[in-house]
Amino acid sequence: MEYAIVDIETTGSFAGGNNITEIAIIIHDGKQVIQEFQTLVNPESFIPFHIQTLTGITNEMVEDAPTFKQIAAQVLHLLDKRIFVAHNVNFDYSFIVEELKAAGYAWKAQKLCTVRLSRKIIPNLASYSLGKLCLNIGIPIFDRHRAMGDAKATAILFEKLLQEDQDQIIESALKKSREQ
């Protein structure tokens, strides 16, 4: 079983009217990372100032980057037949579904959310935001609010969840995901 651990940066908070500005995909075989992909993405729209401030990604940085349509086939190849893993999975998943659809691809995958899994496998923490969760359990994050930095931290978190999952919570979540 292989996992695609994904993080994206975007122009806003919902998929319908916003676009991806950066994507990172880490392919994991359940034991280790086997492949990494990262690129800035030209969203073909203006990146609002508050998003630029949060991510550090400016309009100038993405103007010569590929559009999502230009990388869609590569992204689809990386995601195909793999379990989609992300922190707050529905956010990343909804954007990628929309961007692939706009590029002419229909895609669906099983999903795992590291927020939900963390709440069950590592209970009783004050916060499950990626930054605070990683701080509390000793996972370093470099380049916070950048796709590869957050994806690498999520990959380490996912490995920890796989190791500590004594009650088969991940298998149960996968079973639910298959049924949807």
Side-chain angles (χ1 to χ4, degrees):
M1 186 169 353
E2 288 185 349
Y3 305 90
I5 301 169
V6 179
D7 192 80
I8 60 172
E9 302 306 327
T10 66
T11 58
S13 59
F14 61 94
N18 294 286
N19 300 93
I20 294 172
T21 59
E22 187 176 40
I23 184 169
I25 302 171
I26 297 176
I27 306 303
H28 199 286
D29 67 5
K31 296 190 185 333
Q32 64 187 359
V33 172
I34 57 174
Q35 186 178 356
E36 293 181 356
F37 169 81
Q38 182 274 328
T39 186
L40 287 168
V41 179
N42 184 332
E44 301 181 275
S45 62
F46 183 78
I47 302 170
F49 182 73
H50 71 281
I51 300 289
Q52 292 182 53
T53 303
L54 176 69
T55 65
I57 300 171
T58 66
N59 291 297
E60 295 74 30
M61 289 170 66
V62 298
E63 69 186 357
D64 294 327
T67 64
F68 195 89
K69 283 185 175 123
Q70 291 171 315
I71 62 165
Q74 185 178 12
V75 168
L76 183 64
H77 175 73
L78 289 165
L79 299 177
D80 193 39
K81 297 184 177 91
R82 291 187 169 111
I83 296 163
F84 189 95
V85 179
H87 206 71
N88 289 316
V89 73
N90 288 330
F91 176 83
D92 302 79
Y93 187 83
S94 66
F95 271 90
I96 291 175
V97 165
E98 285 295 317
E99 293 271 18
L100 285 171
K101 190 163 123 184
Y105 297 101
W107 169 78
K108 226 168 76 164
Q110 282 185 274
K111 301 178 286 186
L112 286 174
C113 180
T114 55
V115 173
R116 286 188 211 127
L117 294 173
S118 294
R119 284 188 175 129
K120 292 179 180 174
I121 298 170
I122 310 168
N124 304 317
L125 296 178
S127 173
Y128 289 89
S129 70
L130 185 62
K132 289 182 180 161
L133 177 60
C134 288
L135 179 67
N136 285 328
I137 62 175
I139 295 172
I141 302 182
F142 302 99
D143 290 330
R144 185 74 176 103
H145 295 297
R146 290 298 301 267
M148 187 54 81
D150 287 356
K152 283 184 175 184
T154 302
I156 295 167
L157 171 61
F158 186 62
E159 286 175 1
K160 186 172 183 61
L161 294 170
L162 286 168
Q163 291 166 1
E164 294 187 15
D165 183 15
Q166 304 304 314
D167 297 324
Q168 311 299 297
I169 290 166
I170 294 171
E171 185 52 44
S172 176
L174 282 172
K175 187 176 179 206
K176 283 183 188 171
S177 181
R178 277 192 287 272
E179 294 167 356
Q180 291 176 349

